[in-house]
Amino acid sequence: MTEYLDRFAGHVVVVGSGLAGLVTALTLVPQPVLLLTQAALGTESSSAWAQGGIAASLGDDDSLGLHLADTLAAGDGLCDAEVAAAILADAPAAIASLENSGVRFDRSPDGAHMLGLEAAHSRRRIVHAAGDGSGAAIVHALVEKVSRTHSITVMEDIEVRRLLKTDDVLSGLICASRSGPLVIPATQIVLATGGLGGLYEMATTPSGNYGQGIMLAARAGAKLADMEFVQFHPTALDAANWSAGRPLALVSEAVRGEGAILVNDRNERFMADQPGAELAPRDVVARAISAEIAKGNRVFLDAREALGQGFASRFPTITLLCREAGVDPLQERIPVRPAVHYHMGGVATDLQGRSTLDGLWVVGEAASTGLHGANRLASNSLLEAAVMGMRAARDILEKPRSMAPICNAIELPVSSDLSFVRPIVSRSLGVLRNSQTIRSAIGSLLPLVEKDGAATDPALVAISIAVFALMREESRGAHARTDYPLSLPDARRRRMTFSAVLATAREMAPLSLIHTA
């Protein structure tokens, strides 16, 4: 029997408890908020796993202009410059707000922020908390504050399966809980559900995150943007005891920022002649490492000369992860390989976090604002999550509150099974792509999307990546096609509803390529 939670009518519903969701909920105070989280509050989010910090132009030698220039360069011609400038300009205020919420960023003895350097940044501008445990420290502080805030009601172990509409008006959510199906009325919903790394066998993100926010918004009719741009972090820990579907440990870019170098098993420093060397943009480094692996080589990150015994004190979390994998980074080279780390695409939003569906805001990795373009600049993700959480909340506070219309009763959709989708996506939509492999993915995913089973929801997200990827006949940023190795002179972003994606998929997949799962 479905339980109807009408006591929350009039609440803003925030879905997700990573950085973006927590900031949104806290900024909405004293507006009543219902915060839904699939696991325990603040756990199983990419934010909590982040080793890097938050990019902000706080240094004496830095400026908004320099930060913007680095962001646009990394974005490979596809950033929305106006959006990027606005978000980056909010960085100092976001840092101050987080500190007011209890986050303790690392500071030097003179009280100044300790600023780290990461790939493709021209200045030291990465603000850390607890060294390489920044994400966990930030999320922990915000969870503590949310837990003390009376206007925020938290419901854990809730999985949102669908957004509901009544007469084309957003009216609520249907959810699965331990006690059974729930319907929660709502006319103001914020999706902060994170990324889609769970679609891939090799990812550094929580394995259950397959793009649920994208799926929910797409099914409700909101437009998607730039779905083809999936960022592979170059240096995931290539542990011998790893098994498919488990997250790979991340070896932060900050290690290279401190001077570590990349070598193959012949001890050749294959990035030495590249502009920026090991600190080139992530897409460049990921492709170079993938090329070495394709040749049959292993790749290692060597920090022994740069950091030596100081590695453990500078990177305690990474040291522990390496030792759990049987590697001593103080004495040995660290085996690494690319793994899915971040998605630049998502639900199309404006600078206030508004989607194209009235009453639906999307913030954090689930959204595509245009800040990241074709390739996210390191540590701009936590920045965007904080800034856009604040912006969306302030926009909601300016809107009149309304009661949700009565939701139409619907059957609770089945829970998702990623086992059919992961091999298809991993094989065909990886670091290097081409028309044949993308079309094959579409042919394999289309029956899963259309049969309405346990694989349907993740297949919906995956086929959106594939369609966007096939339509982009060039290589740009994180989207690299071997059949179109050059970039077009005119870079354009793309927005589509899922109905348009599905229609395009049916046109793109000849019957001979449609595989029955």
Side-chain angles (χ1 to χ4, degrees), residues 48-52 132-134 136 203-205 235-242 246-252 255 311-312 315-330 332-336 341:
W49 293 12
Q51 295 169 353
D132 61 351
S134 295
T204 64
T205 56
T235 54
L237 180 61
D238 191 11
N241 60 354
W242 174 83
R246 279 179 49 215
L248 278 79
L250 182 67
V251 182
S252 172
V255 177
F311 191 101
F315 300 108
T317 302
I318 298 172
T319 301
L320 178 61
L321 292 170
C322 286
R323 286 176 172 164
E324 287 176 351
V327 178
D328 182 357
L330 284 66
E332 301 174 82
R333 303 178 303 179
I334 305 167
V336 294
H341 184 60

Side-chain angles (χ1 to χ4, degrees), residues 445-469:
L445 292 166
L446 193 54
L448 298 176
V449 173
E450 293 184 325
K451 80 163 48 169
D452 197 21
T456 299
D457 286 348
L460 180 158
V461 181
I463 205 168
S464 299
I465 299 171
V467 167
F468 274 72

Side-chain angles (χ1 to χ4, degrees), residues 20-106:
L22 295 169
V23 167
T24 302
L26 288 169
T27 309
L28 283 165
V29 174
Q31 166 81 24
V33 173
L34 176 61
L35 180 61
L36 306 179
T37 177
Q38 198 164 315
L41 184 63
T43 64
E44 291 302 308
S45 76
S46 295
S47 301
W49 293 12
Q51 295 169 353
I54 300 178
S57 52
L58 300 178
D60 293 337
D61 63 343
D62 203 0
S63 68
L64 171 60
L66 289 171
H67 192 179
L68 179 61
D70 291 344
T71 298
L72 298 182
D76 201 7
L78 213 68
C79 297
D80 184 319
E82 183 178 340
V83 166
I87 293 174
L88 302 183
D90 284 353
I95 296 296
S97 178
L98 290 172
E99 288 183 315
N100 288 336
S101 293
V103 177
R104 299 182 65 180
F105 290 109
D106 298 340

Side-chain angles (χ1 to χ4, degrees), residues 14-28 33 35 47 146 152 190-193 363-364 385 389:
V14 177
V15 185
S17 63
L19 177 58
L22 295 169
V23 167
T24 302
L26 288 169
T27 309
L28 283 165
V33 173
L35 180 61
S47 301
V146 164
I152 302 174
V190 183
L191 298 179
T193 52
V363 293

Side-chain angles (χ1 to χ4, degrees), residues 184-492:
I184 301 172
T187 58
Q188 295 178 319
I189 298 172
V190 183
L191 298 179
T193 52
L196 46 67
L199 290 176
Y200 289 80
E201 292 173 340
M202 293 185 181
T204 64
T205 56
S207 57
N209 289 6
Y210 67 81
Q212 287 92 327
I214 293 171
M215 177 274 294
L216 293 169
R219 283 189 175 278
K223 286 185 177 179
L224 307 180
D226 303 337
M227 288 293 294
E228 67 269 41
F229 295 108
V230 180
Q231 185 175 78
F232 288 75
H233 197 289
T235 54
L237 180 61
D238 191 11
N241 60 354
W242 174 83
S243 59
R246 279 179 49 215
L248 278 79
L250 182 67
V251 182
S252 172
E253 216 152 52
V255 177
R256 282 174 280 141
E258 296 299 329
I261 60 173
L262 288 164
V263 297
N264 59 24
D265 40 16
R266 295 193 297 274
N267 213 40
E268 296 169 335
R269 189 182 173 190
F270 56 89
M271 288 298 297
D273 296 331
Q274 292 286 333
E278 280 79 10
L279 292 178
R282 284 178 174 173
D283 60 313
V284 175
V285 182
R287 286 197 293 271
I289 294 175
S290 294
E292 289 293 320
I293 292 172
K295 296 175 188 174
N297 297 330
R298 294 195 73 193
V299 174
F300 301 87
L301 191 60
D302 192 345
R304 293 174 297 181
E305 183 176 339
L307 290 166
Q309 297 300 307
F311 191 101
S313 59
R314 176 66 180 84
F315 300 108
T317 302
I318 298 172
T319 301
L320 178 61
L321 292 170
C322 286
R323 286 176 172 164
E324 287 176 351
V327 178
D328 182 357
L330 284 66
Q331 305 291 335
E332 301 174 82
R333 303 178 303 179
I334 305 167
V336 294
R337 66 177 306 131
V340 171
H341 184 60
Y342 192 83
H343 184 218
M344 280 73 71
V347 183
T349 68
D350 66 9
L351 258 174
Q352 311 311 320
R354 304 182 197 118
S355 74
T356 57
L357 176 62
D358 191 38
L360 180 66
W361 289 257
V362 187
V363 293
E365 192 175 350
S368 180
T369 61
L371 167 64
H372 306 303
N375 183 44
R376 174 177 66 90
L377 182 66
S379 291
N380 270 354
S381 51
L382 292 183
L383 170 63
E384 182 188 46
V387 168
M388 292 307 299
M390 294 174 190
R391 281 176 165 264
R394 290 166 186 155
D395 188 57
I396 292 168
L397 289 171
E398 293 177 356
K399 306 287 185 188
R401 293 172 60 184
S402 61
M403 300 297 289
I406 295 175
C407 303
N408 295 323
I410 66 168
E411 186 177 344
L412 180 69
V414 298
S415 61
S416 296
D417 182 353
L418 293 168
S419 61
F420 294 106
V421 176
R422 274 190 184 129
I424 300 168
V425 175
S426 301
R427 181 176 62 247
S428 303
L429 299 171
V431 175
L432 300 174
R433 306 163 176 177
N434 61 59
S435 176
Q436 183 178 354
T437 59
I438 299 171
R439 285 182 182 275
S440 177
I442 292 172
S444 298
L445 292 166
L446 193 54
L448 298 176
V449 173
E450 293 184 325
K451 80 163 48 169
D452 197 21
T456 299
D457 286 348
L460 180 158
V461 181
I463 205 168
S464 299
I465 299 171
V467 167
F468 274 72
L470 193 58
M471 295 178 74
R472 184 167 292 280
E473 295 181 336
E474 64 166 346
S475 290
R476 185 179 297 278
H479 173 71
R481 286 189 55 166
T482 57
D483 50 347
Y484 292 99
L486 302 179
S487 298
L488 294 173
D490 185 18
R492 292 180 181 273

